[in-house]
Amino acid sequence: MRRLAAGGLLAALLGVTACAPTAGAPTGSAPAPSKPAPANPQAQAPASAPAQAPAQPEQEPYKIGGTFVMSGGQAEFSRRQLIAGMQMAIDELNEAGGISGHKLASVYEDSRGDPGAAVAAMRKLVEVDKVPVMQSIYTFIVFAQMPVAEETKTVVFAPSVEHPELTTRSQWTARAALNSIDNALVMADFIAKTLGYKRMVIIHEDQEGVTSQLKPFTEKYTQELGGQIVGQEAYKQGDTDFRNHIAKLRGLNAEFLWVIGANSVDKPRVIKQVRESGWNIAVGTQAPFEDPEVLAVGGSALDGVVFTTSTFTPEFADRFNKKYGYPPDNIAAKHYDGMMITAEAIRRGGYSGEGIRQALNQITEIDGGQGKLVNNGQREWKPSPVFKMVKNGQFVAYQP
Amino acid sequence: MLLLQLIVNGLVAGAIYALMALGFAVIYNATRIFHLAHGAVYAVGGYIFYALAIQLKVDPLVAFVLVVPATALVGAAIEALVYRPARGRGAGLFALFIISLGLLVFMQNLLSFLFGGDTKSVWPGALPSYELGGIVVTPYHIAVVVVCLIVFPLVQWFVTRTRTGKAIQALSSNRELADVVGVDVPRLYLVVFALGSGLAGIAAALLSIDLGVNPGMAFTVITFAAISVIIGGVGHLPGAAFGGFLLGLLQSLAVWFLPLAWQDVVVYGLLFVFLLLRPQGLFGQRLITRQV
């Protein structure tokens, strides 16, 4: 009986960790490289920056870690956009000869969307794989990983995390995105001035990275722009039935519904159920949203939905599309840029946590997948915000 | 009007919990196996429906009907190929519970491997909606009501009126006695797994019309099904279904006075209260009295 119980547990563990990627999935072992077009960092290199060594392909690869949600409902999104973006950068860098003769090798671990599992995954990357730098995602995950980053001197590059305090709470974090306050203020302006709606409701994910933008948004929208938020309801990651949220908000005579959440699949579900309830309200949301899965879930119910995102260059989109056979979301470009900035930091500071952290502060701007990004001095490379909408089942630039 | 809409939403959500709870209870009452892999059978049912209706373009009604025997077969196969050999090698109920957990996770990952981890929509876009006296319903709501009106009386009739159903009741009451009076227990185990799994297939096909399918769809539903059984009263089939409806309704009505983020707190709070004050559930006591 003990043997059977142990076997069952083993099967469970194998099951948890054996989230096999499907066809076309980016993997850690660099797949066939696409046309190399690495980013073009334009920082003023300090005099003390280490010179680039001649190519020595036989040298040990530099391992770069990544903790993403690789099991459960979000696994596919991670694979299609986050890992795809990061892996594309690694493949392009390797195609161009790697860094100082070292190829790059990615090591991905499953955070399972759980802070405890994410910390364990990070410890494995740091202590077993000896990575000095890694990518991660989601505020609640990265905040849980911060103490380990401090303790082990590991850089956690969280390209798409938008929490305003990401880079002030720890010197070991960085991002390649606007923060949530930037996004919120831009959206408040857009709703009140461009769209002209002064009475709105909000359905939001109950997660710190998302809720952190509600206060600045509310202040700007209500106090500065004269709008009214007549109701707001929260949901948890993984929720699928939003009919009660909708029933509760529907009677409040709002003109605009803002749906905000950290992953892409919940939002089209909310909007789909809004339309099913017969509620013909104008709807807006935010990135990540520009993913084929969003259209698959929401279908024609998404027509007319506007959203904030940041731009990515047509060249990046073209290379991504050729490599993977589907278009990128802007979040893929963020993780691509995060990897390119990391690579430049390794070139300048060497392959160590401390070296990378210090070098990050010296990279002032970069031409990446999101276009020209400028470091604000706090290890934040900010892209320009843009507005898009869904029209006839396509993501297009916003048209009034 | 909000109250009426919440009641309708709650009853529809509760109907899915009830179908799952009924299937879970049929299996648990007869075998005492805490069959968490029931959630995996449910997910498999969703994918079978998706594969038939979308990939093979089978008429959705025909696909719906085919899902039931298909999931029944999967459930019976789990009993025949996993639990029975395990019992034969001396596995107790705890070992079977762990095996069931392993099976749940394994099957979930198998689905992810076969179909990908993304959500597959059975009905992309909004379902058409109808307003009836201020209450908005979709074909999904109507399908759930119609199916429940057919399935619940049918299961009740099967369990109380047929020879096999009575044998299942006997097995649920006292396995040793059932064995002594000549009930074919191994065959009956296959029947209860098939019956319970068929009910999971019905719930899966219904819910996949509304939400599509993804490999992670099993966990919440199986958790709520197990809670429904505890609230309704372990050992009492109508109680399990009642527990499901009650759970859905309370979850929905909580919205009347609580923020929506607290919906699940109501469910787990209710479970806590029951475990503390009435561990036998709403109808469990009556069963004990009857047994005595």
Side-chain angles (χ1 to χ4, degrees), chain A residues 14-263:
Chain A
L14 282 173
V16 167
T17 54
C19 182
T22 50
T27 64
S29 55
S34 63
K35 181 179 157 192
N40 175 26
Q42 298 171 338
Q44 294 134 14
S48 59
Q52 205 161 342
Q56 294 172 356
E58 71 280 1
Q59 290 185 12
E60 279 285 299
Y62 286 160
K63 287 184 184 174
I64 313 291
T67 56
F68 298 104
V69 184
M70 294 163 72
S71 52
Q74 284 181 62
E76 186 67 7
F77 172 66
S78 302
R79 182 189 71 82
R80 291 176 64 86
Q81 299 292 344
L82 316 177
I83 297 175
M86 177 176 163
Q87 189 63 45
M88 183 168 141
I90 289 178
D91 293 348
E92 289 182 356
L93 289 160
N94 283 338
E95 181 90 347
I99 301 172
S100 309
H102 294 265
K103 294 279 184 187
L104 299 177
S106 50
V107 188
Y108 300 121
E109 290 295 336
D110 187 2
S111 72
R112 295 180 1 220
D114 170 66
V119 166
M122 180 179 177
R123 284 208 175 275
K124 185 262 174 188
L125 287 173
V126 173
E127 289 163 12
V128 178
D129 298 301
K130 310 286 182 199
V131 304
V133 58
M134 54 175 269
Q135 284 202 3
S136 193
I137 185 170
Y138 299 128
T139 301
F140 63 100
I141 297 280
V142 178
F143 279 12
Q145 290 173 328
M146 275 181 186
V148 185
E150 302 271 346
E151 174 200 325
T152 60
K153 299 192 185 309
T154 305
V155 174
V156 179
F157 209 122
S160 53
V161 167
E162 295 179 352
H163 194 284
E165 294 170 15
L166 174 77
T167 54
T168 54
R169 283 199 193 183
S170 170
Q171 296 299 303
W172 293 91
T173 50
R175 74 171 133 222
L178 294 168
N179 70 38
S180 55
I181 295 177
D182 298 330
N183 274 327
L185 300 183
V186 163
M187 192 64 183
D189 258 336
F190 183 71
I191 297 168
K193 290 182 181 167
T194 311
L195 300 177
Y197 295 127
K198 292 296 174 83
R199 193 176 162 85
M200 64 174 290
V201 287
I202 301 171
I203 296 179
H204 66 88
E205 185 183 334
D206 193 12
Q207 198 235 94
E208 202 180 349
V210 174
T211 53
S212 63
Q213 60 191 295
L214 290 176
K215 189 165 176 262
F217 176 87
T218 305
E219 282 173 4
K220 173 143 191 174
Y221 185 73
T222 57
Q223 292 167 22
E224 196 180 309
L225 300 168
Q228 240 189 314
I229 298 170
V230 291
Q232 67 184 58
E233 289 295 340
Y235 68 88
K236 294 187 306 304
Q237 203 169 73
D239 281 357
T240 51
D241 189 346
F242 307 99
R243 290 194 172 85
N244 290 335
H245 300 68
I246 293 161
K248 206 170 174 184
L249 296 175
R250 202 185 156 177
L252 300 174
N253 295 321
E255 300 168 299
F256 187 81
L257 165 66
W258 192 30
V259 183
I260 48 175
N263 78 65

Side-chain angles (χ1 to χ4, degrees), chain A residues 264-280:
Chain A
S264 62
V265 184
D266 300 335
K267 291 176 278 191
R269 275 208 185 113
V270 174
I271 298 164
K272 179 177 182 269
Q273 290 177 21
V274 164
R275 296 301 180 225
E276 283 172 355
S277 75
W279 193 13
N280 279 323

Side-chain angles (χ1 to χ4, degrees), chain B residues 205-281:
Chain B
L206 281 172
L207 205 63
S208 59
I209 296 169
D210 186 35
L211 298 175
V213 294
N214 70 70
M217 66 195 280
F219 269 114
T220 310
V221 171
I222 189 62
T223 308
F224 283 7
I227 294 173
S228 303
V229 172
I230 293 167
I231 289 174
V234 174
H236 194 262
L237 288 184
F242 183 84
F245 278 110
L246 184 67
L247 212 58
L249 209 52
L250 281 178
Q251 211 183 8
S252 193
L253 287 176
V255 171
W256 189 255
F257 49 90
L258 282 175
L260 275 142
W262 289 77
Q263 267 187 316
D264 286 357
V265 177
V266 172
V267 173
Y268 291 103
L270 189 68
L271 173 67
F272 183 69
V273 168
F274 265 91
L275 288 177
L276 214 62
L277 303 177
R278 197 174 167 82
Q280 74 274 30

Side-chain angles (χ1 to χ4, degrees), chain B residues 120-222:
Chain B
K120 308 286 185 198
S121 286
V122 172
W123 190 300
L127 291 163
S129 57
Y130 315 99
E131 198 167 325
L132 306 171
I135 309 297
V136 178
V137 294
T138 66
Y140 164 69
H141 288 90
I142 296 165
V144 169
V145 171
V146 170
V147 167
C148 285
L149 287 175
I150 296 170
V151 169
F152 289 123
L154 205 62
V155 172
Q156 181 67 11
W157 171 82
F158 176 77
V159 172
T160 55
R161 303 282 175 194
T162 66
R163 195 179 165 79
T164 308
K166 285 175 184 170
I168 290 173
Q169 280 191 317
L171 185 63
S172 303
S173 295
N174 192 321
R175 186 195 156 128
E176 285 73 25
L177 207 57
D179 217 358
V180 168
V181 298
V183 170
D184 184 352
V185 174
R187 189 188 72 86
L188 220 48
Y189 267 41
L190 287 177
V191 173
V192 293
F193 270 94
L195 176 61
S197 302
L199 290 168
I202 294 171
L206 281 172
L207 205 63
S208 59
I209 296 169
D210 186 35
L211 298 175
V213 294
N214 70 70
M217 66 195 280
F219 269 114
T220 310
V221 171
I222 189 62

